[in-house]
Each structure stands twice: as C-alpha cells, then as structure tokens.
Amino acid sequence: MVASGTVKRAASVSRKTKETEISASVEIDGSGLFDVSTGVGFFDHMLEQLSRHSLIDMTVSAKGDLHIDDHHTVEDTGIALGQAIARALGERRGITRYASIDLAMDETLTRAAVDVSGRPFLVWQVAFSSPKIGSFDTELVREFFQALAQNAGITLHVTNHYGANNHHIAETCFKAVARALRTALEHDPRQAGAIPSTKGTLSA
C-alpha cells in the first residue's frame, strides 16, 4: 500500500526485438500479485516467487524464440523487469536502500544482499550440480539476475551457502532476492523524501 502523500511507484515497459517481445509492469508498493506468462514453465514459477515475496505486483508477458532455447526470453525478461523497476523508483527518494537476508529452504541456504544504488553490479556465487532443472538451463538463473541488476540499477550479491537440490538452490535465489528487495525498496520514515546518499543522487 502506498503511504499517504507519496507518489505511486509503478511503471510499465514494452520491449520488442527480432528475438523477443516482452511487456512488463510493476507496482513497487503492491501485495505480491502476479500475472506471468513467458512460455517457460520453471521460469514462470520463479518470477511468481519473486513477485510474491517482494510484494511487488508484477505483470509479465513474453513471447520469444523458444524454438532455439530459453536464453533470449529469460534475459530479455530480466531487462524489461529491471527497466520497469528503475522507472517506478524514479529518484529513489526515501527508500531504505540496503538490505540482506539469509533464506532457508529445506536443506538449502542462500544469501542475497542489495544496494539500490543506481550503480549496477552482480556478484554471483552460486553453483549448480546439474546443467538442467527439468528442461530449464540452470545457467539462465544467473543471466536473469545479471539483466535485472544491470537494468534496475542495483548492486546485487547472491551467495548459495549450501544445498543439494538444484530446484531448491534456484528457488532460494529468487526468494532471497525478493525479500531483500522488499526491505530495500520500502519507504524509510526517517528519510522522509530524502535521497539516501551523501552525493545527493542515486543516479548511475
């Protein structure tokens, strides 16, 4: 829910190339509602986790060259979602900015730390024991977060401490990032409308 006196933080992005056609809409101060359709079942499941646990309402529609593989669809969805988040945040006034969490799921533990800094960077310390989860390429988990971080303008560190099940490892990455984003993007009541930086800007 948007706090009284604040501007609604929402944005939509449409992106079309010869490889994909993506539309993505976000509402930062949502309740985790999602409507996701990319044609890649496992990826849809992960995006639903990202929305539900960040409380960012997300609508994503993607049509891609899945006859080749899932790469372009996953990466370009990350680009569009990242751009939508960046637009919705605007100058990033009043945000908490920093957050981190260790997230457990059964035998797996993964940490995500974020700085909504305007300076994109990804540190990825996650290894999978198999190249596939069902038909989904596990290397695409990193590709998604690289595209998301780059286009949202966030510094993102993801570390899998341990885990045996590759589905659980991937899912904890999405859930941990979601929970860290939820905290980092929240309005800090002590910041009022200030930009949380001594530079006075969180632009790249």
Side-chain angles (χ1 to χ4, degrees):
M1 180 176 291
V2 181
S4 177
T6 61
V7 176
K8 183 177 181 180
R9 299 187 296 174
S12 297
V13 167
S14 294
R15 187 175 187 275
K16 185 174 183 179
T17 70
K18 291 182 179 180
E19 297 167 341
T20 62
E21 185 174 351
I22 315 280
S23 62
S25 299
V26 300
E27 183 171 343
I28 302 298
D29 305 294
S31 56
L33 299 177
F34 52 80
D35 182 3
V36 174
S37 178
T38 68
V40 182
F42 181 78
F43 185 46
D44 285 355
H45 178 49
M46 294 299 102
L47 292 177
E48 290 167 359
Q49 302 302 323
L50 185 65
S51 172
R52 180 66 188 89
H53 295 285
S54 67
L55 298 185
I56 298 173
D57 291 346
M58 293 183 185
T59 300
V60 178
S61 176
K63 296 179 180 179
D65 51 3
L66 299 181
H67 62 287
I68 296 176
D69 65 9
D70 299 341
H71 185 110
H72 296 140
T73 299
V74 172
E75 182 178 30
D76 289 5
T77 298
I79 292 171
L81 270 176
Q83 290 175 348
I85 290 170
R87 290 183 188 180
L89 290 176
E91 291 185 298
R92 308 177 187 221
R93 291 183 179 274
I95 63 170
T96 301
R97 180 175 168 177
Y98 298 99
S100 66
I101 186 172
D102 285 319
L103 189 135
M105 180 179 180
D106 298 345
E107 86 296 344
T108 302
L109 185 68
T110 298
R111 169 175 290 173
V114 300
D115 174 10
V116 187
S117 60
R119 298 186 306 277
F121 202 90
L122 175 68
V123 174
W124 184 255
Q125 296 181 330
V126 180
F128 294 96
S129 62
S130 171
K132 296 279 190 180
I133 300 172
S135 62
F136 185 82
D137 293 328
T138 50
E139 67 179 8
L140 295 183
V141 180
R142 183 192 186 283
E143 292 301 316
F144 170 77
F145 285 115
Q146 174 67 45
L148 183 75
Q150 186 70 33
N151 288 274
I154 62 174
T155 294
L156 175 61
H157 292 236
V158 184
T159 302
N160 174 242
H161 296 299
Y162 45 81
N165 182 287
N166 288 299
H167 186 130
H168 292 170
I169 293 171
E171 189 162 338
T172 55
C173 290
F174 279 84
K175 287 180 174 178
V177 171
R179 292 292 302 197
L181 281 175
R182 173 179 170 179
T183 299
L185 299 182
E186 285 181 344
H187 291 289
D188 181 347
R190 295 178 64 190
Q191 293 275 6
I195 294 173
S197 171
T198 55
K199 295 185 302 182
T201 179
L202 288 176
S203 299

mmCIF file with all atom_site columns, all heavy atoms in Angstrom, residues 94-110:
data_model
loop_
_atom_site.group_PDB
_atom_site.id
_atom_site.type_symbol
_atom_site.label_atom_id
_atom_site.label_alt_id
_atom_site.label_comp_id
_atom_site.label_asym_id
_atom_site.label_entity_id
_atom_site.label_seq_id
_atom_site.pdbx_PDB_ins_code
_atom_site.Cartn_x
_atom_site.Cartn_y
_atom_site.Cartn_z
_atom_site.occupancy
_atom_site.B_iso_or_equiv
_atom_site.pdbx_formal_charge
_atom_site.auth_seq_id
_atom_site.auth_comp_id
_atom_site.auth_asym_id
_atom_site.auth_atom_id
_atom_site.pdbx_PDB_model_num
ATOM 1   N N   . GLY A 1 94  ? 13.706 8.501   -0.319 1.00 0.00 ? 94  GLY A N   1
ATOM 2   C CA  . GLY A 1 94  ? 13.072 7.935   0.863  1.00 0.00 ? 94  GLY A CA  1
ATOM 3   C C   . GLY A 1 94  ? 13.167 6.438   1.016  1.00 0.00 ? 94  GLY A C   1
ATOM 4   O O   . GLY A 1 94  ? 12.572 5.881   1.933  1.00 0.00 ? 94  GLY A O   1
ATOM 5   N N   . ILE A 1 95  ? 13.912 5.771   0.147  1.00 0.00 ? 95  ILE A N   1
ATOM 6   C CA  . ILE A 1 95  ? 13.995 4.311   0.252  1.00 0.00 ? 95  ILE A CA  1
ATOM 7   C C   . ILE A 1 95  ? 14.982 3.901   1.344  1.00 0.00 ? 95  ILE A C   1
ATOM 8   O O   . ILE A 1 95  ? 15.878 4.657   1.727  1.00 0.00 ? 95  ILE A O   1
ATOM 9   C CB  . ILE A 1 95  ? 14.394 3.656   -1.078 1.00 0.00 ? 95  ILE A CB  1
ATOM 10  C CG1 . ILE A 1 95  ? 15.799 4.102   -1.514 1.00 0.00 ? 95  ILE A CG1 1
ATOM 11  C CG2 . ILE A 1 95  ? 13.359 3.938   -2.156 1.00 0.00 ? 95  ILE A CG2 1
ATOM 12  C CD1 . ILE A 1 95  ? 16.347 3.316   -2.702 1.00 0.00 ? 95  ILE A CD1 1
ATOM 13  N N   . THR A 1 96  ? 14.825 2.683   1.829  1.00 0.00 ? 96  THR A N   1
ATOM 14  C CA  . THR A 1 96  ? 15.753 2.134   2.813  1.00 0.00 ? 96  THR A CA  1
ATOM 15  C C   . THR A 1 96  ? 17.128 1.902   2.184  1.00 0.00 ? 96  THR A C   1
ATOM 16  O O   . THR A 1 96  ? 18.150 2.043   2.828  1.00 0.00 ? 96  THR A O   1
ATOM 17  C CB  . THR A 1 96  ? 15.184 0.834   3.406  1.00 0.00 ? 96  THR A CB  1
ATOM 18  O OG1 . THR A 1 96  ? 13.926 1.132   4.019  1.00 0.00 ? 96  THR A OG1 1
ATOM 19  C CG2 . THR A 1 96  ? 16.114 0.225   4.434  1.00 0.00 ? 96  THR A CG2 1
ATOM 20  N N   . ARG A 1 97  ? 17.154 1.527   0.961  1.00 0.00 ? 97  ARG A N   1
ATOM 21  C CA  . ARG A 1 97  ? 18.320 1.369   0.087  1.00 0.00 ? 97  ARG A CA  1
ATOM 22  C C   . ARG A 1 97  ? 19.060 0.054   0.280  1.00 0.00 ? 97  ARG A C   1
ATOM 23  O O   . ARG A 1 97  ? 19.307 -0.657  -0.684 1.00 0.00 ? 97  ARG A O   1
ATOM 24  C CB  . ARG A 1 97  ? 19.301 2.536   0.230  1.00 0.00 ? 97  ARG A CB  1
ATOM 25  C CG  . ARG A 1 97  ? 20.527 2.388   -0.671 1.00 0.00 ? 97  ARG A CG  1
ATOM 26  C CD  . ARG A 1 97  ? 21.465 3.574   -0.656 1.00 0.00 ? 97  ARG A CD  1
ATOM 27  N NE  . ARG A 1 97  ? 22.712 3.261   -1.306 1.00 0.00 ? 97  ARG A NE  1
ATOM 28  C CZ  . ARG A 1 97  ? 23.701 4.111   -1.508 1.00 0.00 ? 97  ARG A CZ  1
ATOM 29  N NH1 . ARG A 1 97  ? 23.585 5.379   -1.080 1.00 0.00 ? 97  ARG A NH1 1
ATOM 30  N NH2 . ARG A 1 97  ? 24.811 3.734   -2.110 1.00 0.00 ? 97  ARG A NH2 1
ATOM 31  N N   . TYR A 1 98  ? 19.462 -0.301  1.480  1.00 0.00 ? 98  TYR A N   1
ATOM 32  C CA  . TYR A 1 98  ? 20.268 -1.500  1.717  1.00 0.00 ? 98  TYR A CA  1
ATOM 33  C C   . TYR A 1 98  ? 19.438 -2.589  2.391  1.00 0.00 ? 98  TYR A C   1
ATOM 34  O O   . TYR A 1 98  ? 18.595 -2.300  3.233  1.00 0.00 ? 98  TYR A O   1
ATOM 35  C CB  . TYR A 1 98  ? 21.447 -1.198  2.637  1.00 0.00 ? 98  TYR A CB  1
ATOM 36  C CG  . TYR A 1 98  ? 22.432 -0.193  2.118  1.00 0.00 ? 98  TYR A CG  1
ATOM 37  C CD1 . TYR A 1 98  ? 22.378 1.134   2.540  1.00 0.00 ? 98  TYR A CD1 1
ATOM 38  C CD2 . TYR A 1 98  ? 23.436 -0.565  1.224  1.00 0.00 ? 98  TYR A CD2 1
ATOM 39  C CE1 . TYR A 1 98  ? 23.305 2.065   2.087  1.00 0.00 ? 98  TYR A CE1 1
ATOM 40  C CE2 . TYR A 1 98  ? 24.359 0.358   0.762  1.00 0.00 ? 98  TYR A CE2 1
ATOM 41  C CZ  . TYR A 1 98  ? 24.288 1.674   1.202  1.00 0.00 ? 98  TYR A CZ  1
ATOM 42  O OH  . TYR A 1 98  ? 25.189 2.599   0.743  1.00 0.00 ? 98  TYR A OH  1
ATOM 43  N N   . ALA A 1 99  ? 19.730 -3.849  2.043  1.00 0.00 ? 99  ALA A N   1
ATOM 44  C CA  . ALA A 1 99  ? 19.111 -4.958  2.759  1.00 0.00 ? 99  ALA A CA  1
ATOM 45  C C   . ALA A 1 99  ? 19.854 -6.250  2.432  1.00 0.00 ? 99  ALA A C   1
ATOM 46  O O   . ALA A 1 99  ? 20.471 -6.372  1.370  1.00 0.00 ? 99  ALA A O   1
ATOM 47  C CB  . ALA A 1 99  ? 17.629 -5.109  2.377  1.00 0.00 ? 99  ALA A CB  1
ATOM 48  N N   . SER A 1 100 ? 19.788 -7.192  3.350  1.00 0.00 ? 100 SER A N   1
ATOM 49  C CA  . SER A 1 100 ? 20.334 -8.524  3.099  1.00 0.00 ? 100 SER A CA  1
ATOM 50  C C   . SER A 1 100 ? 19.551 -9.537  3.903  1.00 0.00 ? 100 SER A C   1
ATOM 51  O O   . SER A 1 100 ? 18.919 -9.205  4.911  1.00 0.00 ? 100 SER A O   1
ATOM 52  C CB  . SER A 1 100 ? 21.822 -8.597  3.460  1.00 0.00 ? 100 SER A CB  1
ATOM 53  O OG  . SER A 1 100 ? 22.017 -8.425  4.850  1.00 0.00 ? 100 SER A OG  1
ATOM 54  N N   . ILE A 1 101 ? 19.598 -10.780 3.441  1.00 0.00 ? 101 ILE A N   1
ATOM 55  C CA  . ILE A 1 101 ? 18.870 -11.846 4.127  1.00 0.00 ? 101 ILE A CA  1
ATOM 56  C C   . ILE A 1 101 ? 19.536 -13.181 3.835  1.00 0.00 ? 101 ILE A C   1
ATOM 57  O O   . ILE A 1 101 ? 20.060 -13.405 2.735  1.00 0.00 ? 101 ILE A O   1
ATOM 58  C CB  . ILE A 1 101 ? 17.386 -11.902 3.680  1.00 0.00 ? 101 ILE A CB  1
ATOM 59  C CG1 . ILE A 1 101 ? 16.600 -12.913 4.512  1.00 0.00 ? 101 ILE A CG1 1
ATOM 60  C CG2 . ILE A 1 101 ? 17.270 -12.192 2.192  1.00 0.00 ? 101 ILE A CG2 1
ATOM 61  C CD1 . ILE A 1 101 ? 15.095 -12.892 4.271  1.00 0.00 ? 101 ILE A CD1 1
ATOM 62  N N   . ASP A 1 102 ? 19.580 -14.052 4.831  1.00 0.00 ? 102 ASP A N   1
ATOM 63  C CA  . ASP A 1 102 ? 19.893 -15.465 4.634  1.00 0.00 ? 102 ASP A CA  1
ATOM 64  C C   . ASP A 1 102 ? 18.573 -16.199 4.599  1.00 0.00 ? 102 ASP A C   1
ATOM 65  O O   . ASP A 1 102 ? 17.796 -16.137 5.569  1.00 0.00 ? 102 ASP A O   1
ATOM 66  C CB  . ASP A 1 102 ? 20.753 -16.005 5.779  1.00 0.00 ? 102 ASP A CB  1
ATOM 67  C CG  . ASP A 1 102 ? 22.196 -15.556 5.692  1.00 0.00 ? 102 ASP A CG  1
ATOM 68  O OD1 . ASP A 1 102 ? 22.750 -15.537 4.575  1.00 0.00 ? 102 ASP A OD1 1
ATOM 69  O OD2 . ASP A 1 102 ? 22.775 -15.213 6.738  1.00 0.00 ? 102 ASP A OD2 1
ATOM 70  N N   . LEU A 1 103 ? 18.292 -16.870 3.499  1.00 0.00 ? 103 LEU A N   1
ATOM 71  C CA  . LEU A 1 103 ? 16.992 -17.523 3.326  1.00 0.00 ? 103 LEU A CA  1
ATOM 72  C C   . LEU A 1 103 ? 17.160 -19.039 3.236  1.00 0.00 ? 103 LEU A C   1
ATOM 73  O O   . LEU A 1 103 ? 17.931 -19.541 2.414  1.00 0.00 ? 103 LEU A O   1
ATOM 74  C CB  . LEU A 1 103 ? 16.299 -16.990 2.074  1.00 0.00 ? 103 LEU A CB  1
ATOM 75  C CG  . LEU A 1 103 ? 14.845 -17.457 1.916  1.00 0.00 ? 103 LEU A CG  1
ATOM 76  C CD1 . LEU A 1 103 ? 13.937 -16.291 1.529  1.00 0.00 ? 103 LEU A CD1 1
ATOM 77  C CD2 . LEU A 1 103 ? 14.743 -18.578 0.888  1.00 0.00 ? 103 LEU A CD2 1
ATOM 78  N N   . ALA A 1 104 ? 16.421 -19.744 4.090  1.00 0.00 ? 104 ALA A N   1
ATOM 79  C CA  . ALA A 1 104 ? 16.485 -21.201 4.142  1.00 0.00 ? 104 ALA A CA  1
ATOM 80  C C   . ALA A 1 104 ? 15.304 -21.821 3.415  1.00 0.00 ? 104 ALA A C   1
ATOM 81  O O   . ALA A 1 104 ? 14.182 -21.303 3.467  1.00 0.00 ? 104 ALA A O   1
ATOM 82  C CB  . ALA A 1 104 ? 16.497 -21.663 5.592  1.00 0.00 ? 104 ALA A CB  1
ATOM 83  N N   . MET A 1 105 ? 15.559 -22.919 2.750  1.00 0.00 ? 105 MET A N   1
ATOM 84  C CA  . MET A 1 105 ? 14.504 -23.744 2.171  1.00 0.00 ? 105 MET A CA  1
ATOM 85  C C   . MET A 1 105 ? 14.969 -25.197 2.256  1.00 0.00 ? 105 MET A C   1
ATOM 86  O O   . MET A 1 105 ? 15.902 -25.611 1.552  1.00 0.00 ? 105 MET A O   1
ATOM 87  C CB  . MET A 1 105 ? 14.236 -23.367 0.717  1.00 0.00 ? 105 MET A CB  1
ATOM 88  C CG  . MET A 1 105 ? 13.145 -24.193 0.053  1.00 0.00 ? 105 MET A CG  1
ATOM 89  S SD  . MET A 1 105 ? 12.848 -23.668 -1.662 1.00 0.00 ? 105 MET A SD  1
ATOM 90  C CE  . MET A 1 105 ? 11.542 -24.828 -2.098 1.00 0.00 ? 105 MET A CE  1
ATOM 91  N N   . ASP A 1 106 ? 14.373 -25.947 3.169  1.00 0.00 ? 106 ASP A N   1
ATOM 92  C CA  . ASP A 1 106 ? 14.785 -27.329 3.405  1.00 0.00 ? 106 ASP A CA  1
ATOM 93  C C   . ASP A 1 106 ? 16.291 -27.399 3.651  1.00 0.00 ? 106 ASP A C   1
ATOM 94  O O   . ASP A 1 106 ? 16.791 -26.778 4.561  1.00 0.00 ? 106 ASP A O   1
ATOM 95  C CB  . ASP A 1 106 ? 14.337 -28.233 2.248  1.00 0.00 ? 106 ASP A CB  1
ATOM 96  C CG  . ASP A 1 106 ? 12.824 -28.277 2.098  1.00 0.00 ? 106 ASP A CG  1
ATOM 97  O OD1 . ASP A 1 106 ? 12.119 -27.866 3.032  1.00 0.00 ? 106 ASP A OD1 1
ATOM 98  O OD2 . ASP A 1 106 ? 12.344 -28.689 1.027  1.00 0.00 ? 106 ASP A OD2 1
ATOM 99  N N   . GLU A 1 107 ? 17.030 -28.092 2.799  1.00 0.00 ? 107 GLU A N   1
ATOM 100 C CA  . GLU A 1 107 ? 18.471 -28.298 3.027  1.00 0.00 ? 107 GLU A CA  1
ATOM 101 C C   . GLU A 1 107 ? 19.336 -27.164 2.486  1.00 0.00 ? 107 GLU A C   1
ATOM 102 O O   . GLU A 1 107 ? 20.562 -27.182 2.636  1.00 0.00 ? 107 GLU A O   1
ATOM 103 C CB  . GLU A 1 107 ? 18.906 -29.622 2.372  1.00 0.00 ? 107 GLU A CB  1
ATOM 104 C CG  . GLU A 1 107 ? 19.293 -29.560 0.887  1.00 0.00 ? 107 GLU A CG  1
ATOM 105 C CD  . GLU A 1 107 ? 18.176 -29.165 -0.077 1.00 0.00 ? 107 GLU A CD  1
ATOM 106 O OE1 . GLU A 1 107 ? 16.987 -29.215 0.306  1.00 0.00 ? 107 GLU A OE1 1
ATOM 107 O OE2 . GLU A 1 107 ? 18.506 -28.809 -1.221 1.00 0.00 ? 107 GLU A OE2 1
ATOM 108 N N   . THR A 1 108 ? 18.711 -26.152 1.905  1.00 0.00 ? 108 THR A N   1
ATOM 109 C CA  . THR A 1 108 ? 19.432 -25.112 1.176  1.00 0.00 ? 108 THR A CA  1
ATOM 110 C C   . THR A 1 108 ? 19.409 -23.793 1.924  1.00 0.00 ? 108 THR A C   1
ATOM 111 O O   . THR A 1 108 ? 18.399 -23.428 2.528  1.00 0.00 ? 108 THR A O   1
ATOM 112 C CB  . THR A 1 108 ? 18.789 -24.920 -0.216 1.00 0.00 ? 108 THR A CB  1
ATOM 113 O OG1 . THR A 1 108 ? 18.816 -26.171 -0.913 1.00 0.00 ? 108 THR A OG1 1
ATOM 114 C CG2 . THR A 1 108 ? 19.527 -23.877 -1.031 1.00 0.00 ? 108 THR A CG2 1
ATOM 115 N N   . LEU A 1 109 ? 20.528 -23.068 1.878  1.00 0.00 ? 109 LEU A N   1
ATOM 116 C CA  . LEU A 1 109 ? 20.618 -21.743 2.475  1.00 0.00 ? 109 LEU A CA  1
ATOM 117 C C   . LEU A 1 109 ? 21.307 -20.803 1.492  1.00 0.00 ? 109 LEU A C   1
ATOM 118 O O   . LEU A 1 109 ? 22.413 -21.083 1.022  1.00 0.00 ? 109 LEU A O   1
ATOM 119 C CB  . LEU A 1 109 ? 21.403 -21.778 3.784  1.00 0.00 ? 109 LEU A CB  1
ATOM 120 C CG  . LEU A 1 109 ? 21.465 -20.451 4.556  1.00 0.00 ? 109 LEU A CG  1
ATOM 121 C CD1 . LEU A 1 109 ? 20.095 -20.071 5.100  1.00 0.00 ? 109 LEU A CD1 1
ATOM 122 C CD2 . LEU A 1 109 ? 22.486 -20.533 5.697  1.00 0.00 ? 109 LEU A CD2 1
ATOM 123 N N   . THR A 1 110 ? 20.652 -19.690 1.185  1.00 0.00 ? 110 THR A N   1
ATOM 124 C CA  . THR A 1 110 ? 21.173 -18.722 0.219  1.00 0.00 ? 110 THR A CA  1
ATOM 125 C C   . THR A 1 110 ? 21.061 -17.314 0.789  1.00 0.00 ? 110 THR A C   1
ATOM 126 O O   . THR A 1 110 ? 20.059 -16.969 1.413  1.00 0.00 ? 110 THR A O   1
ATOM 127 C CB  . THR A 1 110 ? 20.401 -18.803 -1.112 1.00 0.00 ? 110 THR A CB  1
ATOM 128 O OG1 . THR A 1 110 ? 20.592 -20.111 -1.675 1.00 0.00 ? 110 THR A OG1 1
ATOM 129 C CG2 . THR A 1 110 ? 20.870 -17.755 -2.105 1.00 0.00 ? 110 THR A CG2 1
#
